[in-house]
């Protein structure tokens, strides 16, 4: 019997609904109380938490990040290739952001694979579908309970990563202000709220991967490909995001919010790419879960061999998701200012000049020089890429910029040279190339000893959806 043959509550076979003559009401009849969704959900949660690998993952997510952040913060070498990694000595709020970058790349795809990718497939391996249907009597309630239980465990894992890494950073370093990706300082309270919001934002792509995991688990059955599907999709998206894709295609990927959370750490925040990425992630989560629901109800549970096929995986799962990708690309392209890679010369110059002005003030405070505001510095930047002086665009490590500024009461114009490495998602690393007393050395000598030079190397971000200014702009007035 297939699930669609009896869309209402039904057992797996006639023997499950026909009590013996003279017998009392069955254990799950209305007289004794049916197995509700809540009871099924509790049962599925207990089943998941009874698995040793789930317990091990929960333990690791709630303990390991704290040890990692505390250990790295105590070392002399920091993970400067990761966003906010160079600030782990300065503030404990950098630790959870470094963990978030790693989680979005590797941890969360693998965690959703282990949990969501195995929720339905485990019943195929154990051959327990018939027993479960006899007990619960409703494929619909079984599906809802399993999906809800899987999402509960996934959320517990994400919460553990966030809470543990934050606790480790604050205990090891403290809650000092955090420098954003445009150089402005976030007070401890603002930093705490923004870090928490960044972790909340990556729930959208995490749910998208979980939905893909549920779909793979239903369609592919006991095949190991169902378990690996979320990780493979995430890896494919990472490879795609390394390419100089058009902005519309980049924003239409369900995992884009794993990267665009960095826009929260600029002033003003770059919310448009983040909101688009979250909306796309949630749309993929709903679509993939709905496909899994429809296919689950159509399955013939009386046939032990009916646990998925390659043809069904392509026609009923892959093609609808491919169509969804095409639709989202078209919608994003038609409703935003997205054009090309989004990385243009004027945008790079504006982002670099703004961040340099903020960090110059920080260096001025370190050296106990007279305070100066960003507006009075009148900072500007002139950039070129691979010898192209006008109209340079696109990612690459061949950007060269000269930053100029004016100190009040000084007629000479200050200048500093930077080599920029800009990735396809708009993140850039500015490497100081002199003069030595400004940005040519990693330390500055202060009255209390040597301190890290904030102008030597720093991370920044180019807003891919912002309007390109028609003329060079100075750093904004705070």
């Amino acid at each position: 019997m297939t699930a669609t043959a009896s869309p209402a509550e039904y057992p797996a076979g006639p023997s499950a609904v026909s009590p013996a003559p003279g017998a009392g009401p069955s254990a799950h009849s209305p007289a004794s109380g049916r197995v509700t969704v809540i009871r099924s959900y509790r049962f599925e949660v207990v089943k998941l938490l009874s698995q040793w690998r789930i317990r091990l993952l929960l333990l690791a997510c709630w303990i390991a990040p704290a040890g990692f952040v505390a250990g790295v913060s105590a070392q002399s070498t920091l993970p400067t290739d990761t966003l906010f990694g160079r600030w782990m000595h300065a503030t404990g709020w950098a630790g959870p952001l470094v963990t978030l970058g790693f989680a979005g790349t590797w941890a969360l795809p693998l965690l959703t694979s282990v949990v969501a990718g195995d929720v339905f497939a485990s019943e195929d391996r154990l051959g327990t579908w018939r027993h479960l249907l006899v007990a619960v009597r409703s494929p619909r309630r079984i599906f809802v309970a399993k999906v809800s239980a899987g999402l509960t465990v996934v959320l517990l894992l994400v919460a553990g990563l966030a809470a543990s890494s934050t606790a480790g950073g604050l205990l090891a370093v403290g809650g000092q202000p955090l420098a954003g990706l445009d150089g402005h300082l976030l007070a401890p309270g603002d930093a705490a709220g923004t870090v928490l919001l960044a972790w909340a934002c990556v729930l959208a792509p995490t749910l998208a991967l979980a939905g893909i995991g549920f779909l793979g688990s239903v369609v592919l059955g006991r095949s190991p490909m169902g378990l690996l599907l979320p990780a493979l999709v995430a890896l494919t998206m990472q490879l795609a995001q390394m390419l100089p894709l058009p902005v519309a295609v980049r924003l239409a990927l369900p995992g884009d919010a794993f990267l665009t959370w960095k826009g929260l750490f600029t002033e003003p925040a770059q919310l448009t790419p983040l909101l688009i990425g979250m909306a796309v992630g949630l749309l993929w989560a709903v679509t993939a879960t709905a496909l899994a629901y429809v296919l689950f109800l159509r399955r013939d549970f009386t046939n032990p061999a009916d646990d998925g096929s390659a043809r069904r995986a392509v026609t009923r799962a892959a093609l609808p998701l491919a169509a969804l990708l095409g639709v989202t690309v078209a919608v994003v392209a038609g409703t935003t200012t997205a054009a090309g890679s989004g990385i243009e010369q004027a945008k790079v110059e504006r982002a670099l000049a703004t961040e340099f002005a903020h960090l110059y003030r920080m260096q001025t405070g370190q050296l106990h020089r007279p305070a100066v505001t960003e507006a009075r510095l009148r900072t500007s930047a002139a950039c070129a890429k691979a010898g192209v002086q006008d109209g340079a665009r696109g990612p690459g490590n061949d950007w060269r910029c000269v930053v100029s500024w004016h100190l009040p009461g000084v007629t000479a114009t200050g200048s500093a040279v930077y080599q920029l490495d800009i990735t396809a998602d708009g993140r850039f690393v500015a490497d100081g190339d002199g003069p030595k007393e400004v940005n040519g050395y990693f330390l500055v000598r202060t009255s209390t000893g040597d301190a890290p030079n904030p102008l030597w190397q720093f991370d920044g971000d180019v807003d891919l959806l912002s309007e390109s200014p028609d003329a060079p702009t100075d750093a904004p007035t705070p």
Side-chain angles (χ1 to χ4, degrees):
M1 178 183 296
T2 63
T4 53
S6 180
E9 301 165 9
Y10 72 101
S15 61
V17 291
S18 301
S26 65
H28 301 295
S29 67
S32 61
R34 68 178 187 178
V35 179
T36 63
V37 173
I38 298 298
R39 292 176 61 187
S40 300
Y41 164 75
R42 292 174 180 170
F43 175 67
E44 294 296 336
V45 170
V46 171
K47 283 170 58 179
L48 284 174
L49 296 181
S50 65
Q51 300 176 22
W52 66 267
R53 63 176 180 273
I54 300 296
R55 294 181 180 181
L56 184 61
L57 287 176
L58 284 170
L59 187 65
C61 288
W62 281 88
I63 295 178
F68 166 77
V69 171
V72 172
S73 299
Q75 295 180 358
S76 59
T77 302
L78 296 176
T80 55
D81 57 337
T82 305
L83 274 177
F84 296 99
R86 64 184 76 253
W87 296 105
M88 291 186 70
H89 282 163
T91 174
W93 298 114
L97 297 177
V98 171
T99 304
L100 178 56
F102 171 79
T105 303
W106 300 107
L108 293 179
L110 292 176
L111 292 176
T112 53
S113 292
V114 173
V115 179
D118 196 46
V119 166
F120 296 93
S122 60
E123 307 291 350
D124 288 306
R125 292 197 307 271
L126 299 175
T128 52
W129 279 123
R130 183 178 179 85
H131 305 288
L132 190 59
L133 286 165
V134 168
V136 180
R137 297 188 172 193
S138 171
R140 290 180 173 85
R141 288 203 297 268
I142 291 176
F143 184 87
V144 172
K146 282 186 169 293
V147 168
S148 301
L151 293 179
T152 298
V153 174
V154 170
L155 293 178
L156 285 175
L157 295 172
V158 176
L161 291 171
S164 179
S165 58
T166 302
L170 295 179
L171 291 176
V173 183
Q176 294 83 357
L178 172 70
L181 291 179
D182 62 349
H184 80 284
L185 284 180
L186 284 80
D190 295 333
T194 310
V195 168
L196 179 61
L197 183 58
W199 275 96
C201 289
V202 301
L203 289 178
T206 302
L207 292 177
L209 292 179
I212 293 172
F214 295 139
L215 180 59
S217 186
V218 169
V219 173
L220 299 174
R222 63 173 63 93
S223 170
M225 286 302 299
L227 183 64
L228 297 175
L229 189 59
L232 293 176
V233 171
L235 179 60
T236 302
M237 288 190 297
Q238 291 175 30
L239 295 176
Q241 287 164 342
M242 296 173 62
L243 302 174
L245 297 174
V247 182
V249 177
R250 180 177 301 279
L251 294 178
L253 296 176
D256 190 60
F258 280 138
L259 299 175
T260 52
W261 60 263
K262 66 183 186 298
L264 295 171
F265 294 88
T266 61
E267 194 177 65
Q270 300 172 13
L271 294 180
T272 303
L274 176 60
L275 293 177
I276 293 175
M278 292 176 60
V280 170
L282 293 176
L283 181 61
W284 272 69
V286 172
T287 303
T289 305
L291 287 172
Y293 175 76
V294 172
L295 296 177
F296 183 77
L297 293 186
R298 293 179 178 177
R299 180 171 173 178
D300 182 4
F301 291 98
T302 62
N303 181 7
D306 183 21
D307 66 342
S309 67
R311 180 179 178 182
R312 184 172 64 179
V314 173
T315 59
R316 299 182 181 180
L319 290 181
L321 293 181
L324 175 62
L325 177 61
V327 170
T328 52
V329 169
V331 171
V332 172
T335 57
T336 66
T337 59
S341 67
I343 301 173
E344 302 173 3
Q345 180 178 350
K347 293 182 183 181
V348 174
E349 292 172 347
R350 179 172 57 186
L352 179 62
T354 299
E355 186 164 9
F356 181 91
H358 288 306
L359 295 178
Y360 188 91
R361 285 193 64 188
M362 185 185 299
Q363 187 192 70
T364 298
Q366 288 179 323
L367 300 176
H368 301 287
R369 293 173 178 170
V372 60
T373 64
E374 290 87 346
R376 300 188 68 185
L377 282 173
R378 293 182 292 159
T379 308
S380 62
C383 297
K385 181 180 187 293
V388 178
Q389 300 293 330
D390 189 20
R393 62 183 64 234
N397 60 359
D398 51 355
W399 285 83
R400 180 179 175 86
C401 301
V402 178
V403 180
S404 303
W405 69 96
H406 302 78
L407 289 175
V410 179
T411 57
T413 299
S415 64
V417 179
Y418 282 96
Q419 304 289 339
L420 265 62
D421 184 359
I422 307 179
T423 58
D425 64 339
R427 176 198 170 187
F428 66 83
V429 177
D431 188 1
D433 201 18
K436 180 180 179 181
E437 59 273 12
V438 178
N439 68 346
Y441 194 60
F442 71 100
L443 295 175
V444 291
R445 187 171 299 278
T446 69
S447 59
T448 58
D450 291 339
N453 184 358
L455 292 176
W456 178 54
Q457 286 182 345
F458 53 85
D459 298 303
D461 191 40
V462 177
D463 189 351
L464 302 182
L465 288 183
S466 67
E467 293 290 344
S468 180
D470 296 329
T473 57
D474 296 339
T477 303

